[in-house]
Amino acid sequence: IRYKIDNSEQVIKQIQTEKIAQTKINLANFLNAHPLASTAKGGVELLYSVSFDKQNQLTSVMSDYISKALPYMILNPVQDGQDVMEYMDSLDIPLLWNSRGETYEKWKYSELYQLKNEIMAYVVPIVEHQRKLEKQIMDCTTQEELKLIDISFTEELIK
């Protein structure tokens, strides 16, 4: 990011835009470099990518499963006292996902649901850090203030 002596509104807005764009790049890079360790699949701890692409794919896979399950659920509704996750797991609908660096394998719905929730709990505070940085950047009115904002993402975010 290039800083100039000019503190005009136009220059400040340009620097803010560039700095915010860099926070988004830093966020994406951080997520790509820091997979989630989870035991959701069969109780075995494996690493799972939490990149935005993988989060979107996971959402699509789960949505596809639900859309395929819906006709079964209408014809054979969950009975009183029946566990919904056990019901979803019992449906004969393929559900495939993979750990980091591995090929796809069959999953139970309850396992993938658990992984999705773990990913959300892991990612939300990291994304919130980027949002806070963005707000701090937008609150700046001088280049000096902008220079002082550290836009790095560190291991401390996931502890």
Side-chain angles (χ1 to χ4, degrees):
I1 299 170
R2 293 185 183 170
Y3 295 93
K4 303 172 187 173
I5 296 173
D6 186 352
N7 269 325
S8 69
E9 184 177 339
Q10 180 181 358
V11 170
I12 297 298
K13 292 234 181 277
Q14 178 184 349
I15 294 171
Q16 287 171 325
T17 300
E18 291 172 10
K19 199 153 186 164
I20 288 169
Q22 189 60 54
T23 67
K24 292 176 182 178
I25 291 167
N26 293 354
L27 170 61
N29 290 339
F30 187 85
L31 292 176
N32 288 337
H34 294 87
L36 170 70
S38 172
T39 59
K41 176 72 170 125
V44 176
E45 185 174 284
L46 295 169
L47 295 178
Y48 296 91
S49 176
V50 294
S51 70
F52 290 125
D53 285 343
K54 286 302 273 189
Q55 289 181 60
N56 288 337
Q57 289 173 14
L58 180 57
T59 299
S60 293
V61 165
M62 295 191 77
S63 294
D64 183 60
Y65 185 87
I66 295 294
S67 69
K68 290 176 180 173
L70 191 57
Y72 292 103
M73 296 170 76
I74 291 170
L75 294 173
N76 303 297
V78 176
Q79 302 299 309
D80 286 341
Q82 185 179 14
D83 183 80
V84 173
M85 286 300 166
E86 286 178 12
Y87 176 84
M88 296 297 284
D89 287 345
S90 73
L91 300 177
D92 189 22
I93 302 169
L95 187 58
L96 304 173
W97 196 247
N98 64 297
S99 60
R100 191 169 190 181
E102 298 298 325
T103 58
Y104 286 103
E105 61 181 326
K106 282 188 174 185
W107 281 61
K108 294 178 184 176
Y109 180 82
S110 59
E111 294 170 330
L112 206 54
Y113 183 82
Q114 177 183 334
L115 179 63
K116 176 198 72 77
N117 288 334
E118 289 177 13
I119 288 172
M120 290 303 297
Y122 180 77
V123 168
V124 166
I126 300 167
V127 172
E128 185 59 25
H129 176 68
Q130 187 279 331
R131 290 183 179 142
K132 287 177 183 176
L133 289 174
E134 192 168 331
K135 177 159 180 14
Q136 288 175 2
I137 291 165
M138 291 308 296
D139 288 345
C140 291
T141 57
T142 68
Q143 290 185 50
E144 284 302 314
E145 291 173 332
L146 287 164
K147 284 181 187 179
L148 293 174
I149 297 175
D150 178 8
I151 60 171
S152 61
F153 284 70
T154 64
E155 295 280 335
E156 296 302 314
L157 290 172
I158 55 176
K159 292 184 179 175

